[in-house]
Amino acid sequence: MSAHPGPRARLAGGLLFWYAVLGGAVAWAVHLLAGWGVDELTCASGSDHIGGVPLRAAVGAAVALPALATVGALLAAVLLWRRTHLPSEGEDRSVGRGRLLAVVGVWSNLLFLTIIVLGGVALLVLPPCQR
Amino acid sequence: MSTTAAPVPGASREQLDRLEEHWGERPSLRAWLTTVDHKKIGRRYLVTAGLFFALAGLSALAMRTQLARPEAGLLSPQEYNQLFTMHGTAMIFLFATPMLFGFGNFLVPLLIGARDMAFPKLNALGYWIFLFAGLFMWASLPFGAAPNAGWFAYVPLTGQQQTPGLHMDVYSLGLLFLGIATAAGSINFIVTALKLRAPGMSLNRVPLFVWAIVATGFMVIFALPALNLDNAMLFLDRRFGTHFFDPEAGGNVLLWQHLFWIFGHPDVYIIVMPALGIVSAVLPAFTRRGVVGYVLVVFAIVAISIISFGVWVHHMFATGLPRLSYSFFSAASTIITIPSGIQIFAWLATMLLGRLVVRVPLLFVIGFIVTFVLGGFTGTMFALTVFDQQVTDSYFVVAHFHYVLVGGAVFPILAAVYYWLPKITGRMYHEGLGRWAFWLVFAGMHVTFFPMHLYGLFGMPRRVYTYPSEPGWDAWNLVSTVGSYLLAVGLLLVLAGVVHAIRRGRPAPPDPWGGDTLEWSTDSPPKPYNFAVLPQVHSLHPTWDESSRESMGAGAEADRVLADGRRTLLTSELDGRRERVVEMPASSWQPLLLALAMLLFFTAMLFAWYPVAAVAAVAVAGTVATWLWPPRRPERELGVSA
Ligand code: HEM
């Protein structure tokens, strides 16, 4: 890493940083809205297919893709944490707050991954339209 | 660590005089009505919310008196309906959140080392709207026109046909009116905490109470629109015959429930989160150490505020949606207990590792932990759909949410009252009186609400104005009623303690507890400008760290005194780096006038005086336009420097 990254590198770094911190939360929100919305609306219409795709597969995608995105965010958060966790000489304030957000990112991504996986387990054991 | 001597300000006598001249207000009716000082507004929030708490508490006492025996005739069914609805609505909307916002208003600028909230006029507007909306709703009770269909106002019961009269119009308009104040307050907290922190206060040095208030602010911003939309549609359905909730015309009754709980469940955390922040703020002073696992508590605050938006359907487990849909919400409802648990364990570890100083605020914190954990325990039982379906709409639910709300909001609020009373009033409270109050409130709470679990499981439904004599119902109901009187006596003692402190209390030193956050390094009560010298923060516990303290004394720099005007410092969001100096607005009539115009608008809508409502709307628009009109003076003259 150069001492003064260019604007593009800074933008990419910034985006990766926030992906590490909030990626899991956003992925879980997408999972919840897509999984619940698709399931409830399709069942309410009396069908178990959505656009020719079986409902179970559609809801499965609403579990698997967000789960993958969360794993990515988790890895990014771990990377961020490794970069910031050793206190350096004359430490900059931004390192301290980067470390804080990295830890928040690691734990929250783990938490959101757990919720998404539990939703996946429910999909394995419950027929999608059972009331 | 502990300091009781008045801090020696690093500002000169002349600078202090100038600060006083710019920030001070001479007492007068005009000053009272036009002030924008966050401390005065915060105090008013506390007193007004306390008043609404008393009214809601008296409603509860009336209900418990009626329910002391089977087949009692003290209240009619119509009166009971209005009392439980006003009790629930007021406790949630007019007491818990405004009370916590009151502490937020008073404390956030002090905790972050600023001179006021980011938008002081908006802050004043928020208070006036809160006051008027509360009076608007309570005023309906003596006329027998108060809301009467439960605090969550389910359609179709709340439609015009099932509930004629003004009742539910008061509810929908009152909450829409109040919502303006809550949203304005939240935006103010977020901007204040992000932009006005003292230089050096990077995110990892922000007090936990401020984290909690900011998270609450974000939750309100995302949750409140759902409630506003719901209430606007309810009012339109009732008054103008639209069909948003009418299935026969293509509407949907479950739409109300979805929107209500998209707001309503985060609202539980909107209430509890700042209260948890209070606990994290109180503990360090009475354990003589920082809260264990600061980073994890921050994580818990952030995680809860996000996950709380994904659990709302657990209030609708009895509505017949597909089971798989429930599971997604069940998963989130179960997992949200983890961050809540982390906070509890962090506090327990803090108490275990610290040296306990058992004073009244700590007693209330311990009371909170015991009560809230019991409420959380019954809460996780509801996350199991089958159990939820068994006890839904029974007194078990009433027991659960009172454990959560009294435990999670009232106890921390009382801890906060005793903890910050010296800062707010400049007077110490009477310890013995405080201890009596604690034990009465604690015992009263459990004697009132624990039996509700039992008669709930024995099948007693909630929201009944009376009941037939049934095995297990009569005696336990009487116990609940006795408990509620005990609780009332305890709360009266709290009030007596506050009045006693104000009238007879010893003068409070700046830092009576040896607290760790910035409010303890300024006078009790603080001067109108809060800090003679804005601090330079070097750690998470600035009052415990020499260099932060010194930055306000010997280490003061001219660019942190800012005595030439009503000025404070703007800093960067993440790292608290100094950006520029900003000029803060002075007192103004606009907030009060705008709130009055809004009150006129909502009252006119309630009584269907549409021409008056149109005039009021024009007055609102006119006041907003004057408020926002760009000032003619150049920036330099305004005191804005580069
Ligand atoms: C101070 C002591 C309190 C007592 C004695 C008390 C008592 C009661 C009673 C008797 C009911 C009616 C139960 C029914 O008929 O279904 C009730 C309902 C309720 N209470 Fe309390 N309460 C107290 C404090 C609180 C607090 C502090 C809060 C919230 C911060 C609260 C929130 C509610 C809510 C939301 C309802 C439900 C209203 C409804 O069914 O629509 N209460 N309470």
Side-chain angles (χ1 to χ4, degrees):
Chain A
M1 227 169 54
S2 74
H4 295 290
R8 285 170 70 96
R10 282 170 62 124
L11 178 69
L15 287 176
L16 192 66
F17 177 85
W18 287 111
Y19 171 57
V21 180
L22 292 175
V26 175
W28 166 72
V30 170
H31 150 76
L32 184 75
L33 290 177
W36 160 65
V38 166
D39 187 47
E40 194 178 323
L41 292 178
T42 314
C43 295
S45 72
S47 156
D48 59 358
H49 275 68
I50 172 166
V53 182
L55 181 56
R56 188 178 279 278
V59 179
V63 172
L65 297 178
L68 280 178
T70 310
V71 171
L74 180 60
L75 293 177
V78 171
L79 193 73
L80 183 63
W81 179 74
R82 285 168 59 106
R83 291 239 170 114
T84 52
H85 84 286
L86 290 177
S88 49
E89 276 293 301
E91 182 179 293
D92 191 346
R93 249 180 265 161
S94 61
V95 177
R97 87 49 207 164
R99 183 161 57 228
L100 171 99
L101 292 176
V103 178
V104 170
V106 170
W107 285 104
S108 63
N109 287 321
L110 273 174
L111 204 71
F112 288 116
L113 187 60
T114 315
I115 306 181
I116 298 173
V117 168
L118 284 177
V121 173
L123 180 66
L124 291 179
V125 295
L126 289 173
C129 287
Q130 185 192 350
R131 292 194 188 249
Chain B
M1 228 149 55
S2 154
T3 49
T4 47
V8 182
S12 67
R13 185 68 262 159
E14 190 219 335
Q15 284 171 323
L16 291 179
D17 289 344
R18 265 187 288 143
L19 280 170
E20 187 64 46
E21 178 194 325
H22 289 299
W23 290 88
E25 283 166 352
R26 269 195 205 102
S28 68
L29 182 65
R30 182 198 157 96
W32 198 86
L33 293 172
T34 59
T35 186
V36 294
D37 180 339
H38 74 100
K39 296 178 289 302
K40 291 185 181 155
I41 294 171
R43 282 204 306 255
R44 284 176 197 180
Y45 260 104
L46 297 179
V47 172
T48 312
L51 176 78
F52 293 146
F53 178 63
L55 292 176
L58 288 173
S59 312
L61 273 188
M63 288 188 286
R64 279 313 327 164
T65 311
Q66 158 79 4
L67 295 173
R69 311 176 278 117
E71 319 274 7
L74 177 73
L75 296 173
S76 68
Q78 290 76 18
E79 285 163 348
Y80 190 90
N81 285 351
Q82 295 183 41
L83 283 178
F84 81 70
T85 305
M86 271 315 285
H87 165 80
T89 310
M91 283 294 190
I92 299 277
F93 294 104
L94 300 175
F95 157 64
T97 299
M99 190 68 138
L100 293 160
F101 271 32
F103 282 110
N105 256 307
F106 190 92
L107 291 165
V108 166
L110 291 167
L111 284 164
I112 62 173
R115 289 206 165 126
D116 205 327
M117 296 284 282
F119 308 116
K121 278 162 65 177
L122 191 67
N123 205 18
L125 174 70
Y127 169 72
W128 291 119
I129 293 179
F130 157 57
L131 173 70
F132 295 153
L135 295 177
F136 176 90
M137 295 187 80
W138 276 110
S140 62
L141 192 61
F143 298 101
N148 57 354
W151 82 280
F152 44 73
Y154 279 180
V155 291
L157 176 65
T158 44
Q160 182 63 27
Q161 213 174 3
Q162 273 74 18
T163 311
L166 289 181
H167 308 274
M168 295 317 294
D169 299 328
V170 173
Y171 175 93
S172 54
L173 289 174
L175 291 189
L176 278 169
F177 189 19
L178 180 69
I180 303 171
T182 320
S186 301
I187 293 169
N188 220 344
F189 283 134
I190 294 171
V191 179
T192 306
L194 286 180
K195 293 306 300 178
L196 297 193
R197 299 200 308 275
M201 191 180 274
S202 46
L203 281 191
N204 50 324
R205 293 174 184 165
V206 172
L208 287 168
F209 180 70
V210 178
W211 271 104
I213 284 276
V214 171
T216 307
F218 275 108
M219 283 194 279
V220 168
I221 300 296
F222 284 99
L224 205 56
L227 180 72
N228 289 341
L229 186 63
D230 234 6
N231 275 315
M233 291 193 298
L234 179 64
F235 184 69
L236 290 174
D237 267 15
R238 289 177 56 85
R239 181 62 63 83
F240 298 110
T242 53
H243 298 282
F244 291 107
F245 303 117
D246 176 5
E248 286 188 357
N252 187 335
V253 275
L254 279 192
L255 178 62
W256 170 274
Q257 291 197 29
H258 275 302
L259 285 173
F260 190 88
W261 290 116
I262 286 175
F263 156 80
H265 198 87
D267 191 50
V268 175
Y269 291 97
I270 286 169
I271 292 172
V272 170
M273 182 74 80
L276 304 189
I278 289 176
V279 175
S280 297
V282 169
L283 270 183
F286 299 98
T287 54
R288 318 303 312 142
R289 55 158 301 136
V291 171
V292 171
Y294 168 83
V295 181
L296 286 180
V297 177
V298 171
F299 149 70
I301 291 173
V302 175
I304 289 175
S305 56
I306 297 172
I307 303 177
S308 67
F309 280 89
V311 300
W312 81 86
V313 171
H314 78 209
H315 293 269
M316 301 167 60
F317 278 168
T319 53
L321 302 175
R323 276 180 194 279
L324 181 61
S325 299
Y326 287 158
S327 314
F328 297 136
F329 295 93
S330 230
S333 307
T334 314
I335 293 297
I336 200 169
T337 55
I338 295 177
S340 310
I342 287 178
Q343 297 205 57
I344 303 273
F345 283 112
W347 296 321
L348 290 178
T350 310
M351 291 204 273
L352 212 64
L353 298 176
R355 187 162 51 79
L356 291 191
V357 183
V358 187
R359 302 289 297 267
V360 178
L362 185 67
L363 285 177
F364 276 106
V365 165
I366 295 171
F368 146 77
I369 293 180
V370 172
T371 314
F372 189 64
V373 166
L374 286 170
F377 182 74
T378 48
T380 44
M381 290 162 78
F382 295 128
L384 308 172
T385 318
V386 278
F387 180 79
D388 183 275
Q389 288 179 346
Q390 199 65 31
V391 294
T392 199
D393 267 336
S394 78
Y395 257 93
F396 192 91
V397 178
V398 180
H400 156 71
F401 66 69
H402 280 93
Y403 266 77
V404 172
L405 291 170
V406 179
V410 177
F411 277 83
I413 284 171
L414 293 178
V417 166
Y418 285 99
Y419 182 57
W420 280 299
L421 198 68
K423 186 54 60 186
I424 296 173
T425 63
R427 302 276 164 175
M428 295 304 288
Y429 65 84
H430 189 284
E431 186 73 19
L433 209 57
R435 280 172 194 263
W436 268 99
F438 167 73
W439 285 111
L440 281 169
V441 169
F442 186 75
M445 147 77 211
H446 289 273
V447 175
T448 309
F449 295 107
F450 193 82
M452 290 187 187
H453 293 109
L454 303 178
Y455 49 88
L457 286 176
F458 299 154
M460 179 162 167
R462 65 190 281 198
R463 297 176 169 172
V464 286
Y465 87 106
T466 190
Y467 53 95
S469 178
E470 293 272 351
W473 289 17
D474 308 10
W476 285 123
N477 263 293
L478 184 61
V479 173
S480 277
T481 301
V482 171
S484 62
Y485 278 91
L486 209 61
L487 180 52
V489 175
L491 291 169
L492 270 179
L493 276 194
V494 173
L495 181 65
V498 172
V499 174
H500 178 270
I502 294 172
R503 302 192 131 200
R504 302 250 169 91
R506 270 185 301 119
D511 184 10
W513 313 121
D516 64 329
T517 34
L518 281 172
E519 80 277 28
W520 303 113
S521 44
T522 189
D523 304 271
S524 301
K527 293 273 189 304
Y529 44 84
N530 291 353
F531 300 92
V533 182
L534 293 175
Q536 171 79 41
V537 174
H538 294 274
S539 77
L540 178 57
H541 309 289
T543 303
W544 288 351
D545 108 63
E546 204 42 55
S547 32
S548 302
R549 286 183 54 73
E550 214 181 80
S551 73
M552 290 175 269
E557 292 151 355
D559 62 357
R560 284 186 284 110
V561 179
L562 307 174
D564 298 322
R566 287 173 76 91
R567 293 158 147 211
T568 195
L569 268 180
L570 214 64
T571 51
S572 67
E573 299 82 0
L574 299 180
D575 294 326
R577 288 185 206 285
R578 191 192 152 98
E579 284 181 342
R580 64 191 171 94
V581 176
V582 274
E583 185 80 11
M584 303 299 277
S587 56
S588 159
W589 284 101
Q590 284 159 359
L592 177 59
L593 292 180
L594 185 52
L596 279 171
M598 288 184 189
L599 175 64
L600 182 64
F601 174 78
F602 282 99
T603 313
M605 288 305 284
L606 179 69
F607 293 114
W609 304 330
Y610 300 119
V612 180
V615 173
V618 171
V620 168
T623 324
V624 172
T626 332
W627 184 324
L628 297 179
W629 211 260
R632 251 182 258 131
R633 288 172 300 161
E635 281 213 332
R636 251 213 165 295
E637 213 178 285
L638 278 171
V640 180
S641 63

